Amino acid sequence: MKPKHFTNAEISDLLVRHDINPTAQRVVVTRTILERCAHLSAEDLFQIIEQMPDRRGVSLATVYNTLGLLAQKGVVREVIADPAKVVYDPNTAPHHHVYNVTTGELIDVDADRMQVSGMPSLPLGTSLEGVDVIVRVRSPS
Amino acid sequence: MKPKHFTNAEISDLLVRHDINPTAQRVVVTRTILERCAHLSAEDLFQIIEQMPDRRGVSLATVYNTLGLLAQKGVVREVIADPAKVVYDPNTAPHHHVYNVTTGELIDVDADRMQVSGMPSLPLGTSLEGVDVIVRVRSPS
DNA sequence: GTCAGTGCAAACCCTTTGCAGAAAG
DNA sequence: CTTTCTGCAAAGGGTTTGCACTGAC
C-alpha cells in the first residue's frame, strides 16, 4: 500500500465527519497513520511523530487516547494479533490478516479473497462488532 | 461443556505423551484446566489452584510457565481475543470463538459450523501455525 | 468563564526473568 | 552430583489514569 498525502483540512473534515473534534494533535496523529498506510502501534506512531520536524508536540498519552478514539469512531481498525500490543490499521475496508508470530509482520488479505461462512447466530441481546480472521504463520527457527 | 475427571496418572501420561516432564506442579495445573473445561487466564487458574484444599503449592510464575509450555506442546490452545490478557482453551479440536467485548465472555464455535475459505498462500518460508476466527459482539451499553 | 482536550508522570496490569534453593534420577 | 524445575520478588512493557494546565469558543 503506497503512502498518500492529505492536507490538514482534509484530515480535519474526516474527523468532523466521524464526530471527532479536530484538535491539532488529533490531526497530526490521524494524518500520520493514514499517510503511512501501515499497521502501527501507539508507540510506533509516537516515535514517528516525535521525529517530524514540523511537529506540534504530541504526548504519548494523547497518541493512545487519539488512537482509541479513532478506533471507536471507525476511522481506523484495532488489530489484536500479538498479545503484547495492539496495532492500528488505517485500512477500514473489510479484510483479514496474516500474522507472522516469529517476526511480528502483519499482512492484509482482502475480504473477497478469504471469507467466513456459517456465521453462528449471535448471543441474545448482542450486536455484531466485527469478524476477525488471523492466519498465524511461523518462520523457521 | 461439562467438567470431566482425571486421575493424576492420566494427566501424567498425557504430559509425557506431549514431551513434557510431569512434575507435581504441572500435573496440578494441567488437571485443573482440563477439568474446568473453560477458557481461563493464568491468573484465573492461579486463584483456583490457590483455593484447592489438597493443593500442592504452585506459584504464579509456574502457572505462567506451565501454560506457556502446554500451549507450545499442543495440550491447550492460546486464545488472543482480549488485548489485556491471554486465555487458554482446553479444547484443542479445530474451532473458533465468539467474543463479547462488553462482558469478556468467550464462546466456542465448532469448526464444522463456521469455516474459512480462500486461504491465501503463505509467505515464502513460513509454515501454518493456525487460523483464528473471532466474532466480536457487543452487549448494549 | 467554561469545558473539552492535553501533557506529564505515576500508577496499573499482565507477563517474564534472574537467581537461589529444592527435587529427581 | 548433575540437571531440571520451582518460588519468590523484582523488573519489564504496554496502556491507562489523575490532575493541573492550556486553548478554543
Side-chain angles (χ1 to χ4, degrees), chain B residues 66-108:
Chain B
T66 301
L67 285 173
L69 193 60
L70 293 177
Q72 181 194 322
K73 298 293 191 179
V75 181
V76 300
R77 173 164 157 190
E78 244 175 13
V79 181
I80 300 167
D82 179 345
K85 62 185 195 307
V86 175
V87 303
Y88 293 88
D89 188 343
N91 178 2
T92 53
H95 70 284
H96 306 303
H97 294 99
V98 175
Y99 178 67
N100 186 320
V101 299
T102 311
T103 63
E105 195 185 6
L106 196 57
I107 302 167
D108 282 0

Side-chain angles (χ1 to χ4, degrees), chain B residues 1 5 8-9 28 34 43 49 52 56 80 85-86 99 103 111 114-115 121 129 138:
Chain B
M1 207 168 288
H5 286 284
N8 284 346
V28 171
L34 291 189
E43 188 73 38
I49 291 171
M52 289 172 31
R56 166 130 187 196
I80 300 167
K85 62 185 195 307
V86 175
Y99 178 67
T103 63
M114 176 164 49
Q115 317 186 23
S121 53
E129 177 95 351
R138 166 184 300 283

Side-chain angles (χ1 to χ4, degrees), chain B:
Chain B
M1 207 168 288
K2 57 202 65 165
K4 297 169 186 166
H5 286 284
F6 298 95
T7 65
N8 284 346
E10 284 169 336
I11 298 293
S12 194
D13 281 0
L14 175 71
L15 293 179
V16 170
R17 259 182 279 127
H18 283 85
D19 252 334
I20 299 172
N21 190 351
T23 66
Q25 290 87 343
R26 287 170 180 171
V27 169
V28 171
V29 171
T30 308
R31 187 175 174 178
T32 304
I33 189 169
L34 291 189
E35 290 189 340
R36 289 279 164 151
C37 277
H39 303 98
L40 298 172
S41 68
E43 188 73 38
D44 293 338
L45 213 38
F46 175 65
Q47 297 198 30
I48 291 170
I49 291 171
E50 245 189 340
Q51 295 177 6
M52 289 172 31
D54 61 331
R55 97 197 112 127
R56 166 130 187 196
V58 180
S59 74
L60 182 57
T62 296
V63 172
Y64 272 101
N65 291 338
T66 301
L67 285 173
L69 193 60
L70 293 177
Q72 181 194 322
K73 298 293 191 179
V75 181
V76 300
R77 173 164 157 190
E78 244 175 13
V79 181
I80 300 167
D82 179 345
K85 62 185 195 307
V86 175
V87 303
Y88 293 88
D89 188 343
N91 178 2
T92 53
H95 70 284
H96 306 303
H97 294 99
V98 175
Y99 178 67
N100 186 320
V101 299
T102 311
T103 63
E105 195 185 6
L106 196 57
I107 302 167
D108 282 0
V109 180
D110 279 358
D112 51 342
R113 284 176 133 277
M114 176 164 49
Q115 317 186 23
V116 175
S117 56
M119 273 283 295
S121 53
L122 304 187
L124 272 181
T126 64
S127 56
L128 184 63
E129 177 95 351
V131 179
D132 293 352
V133 178
I134 297 178
V135 177
R136 282 170 210 281
V137 302
R138 166 184 300 283
S139 291
S141 50

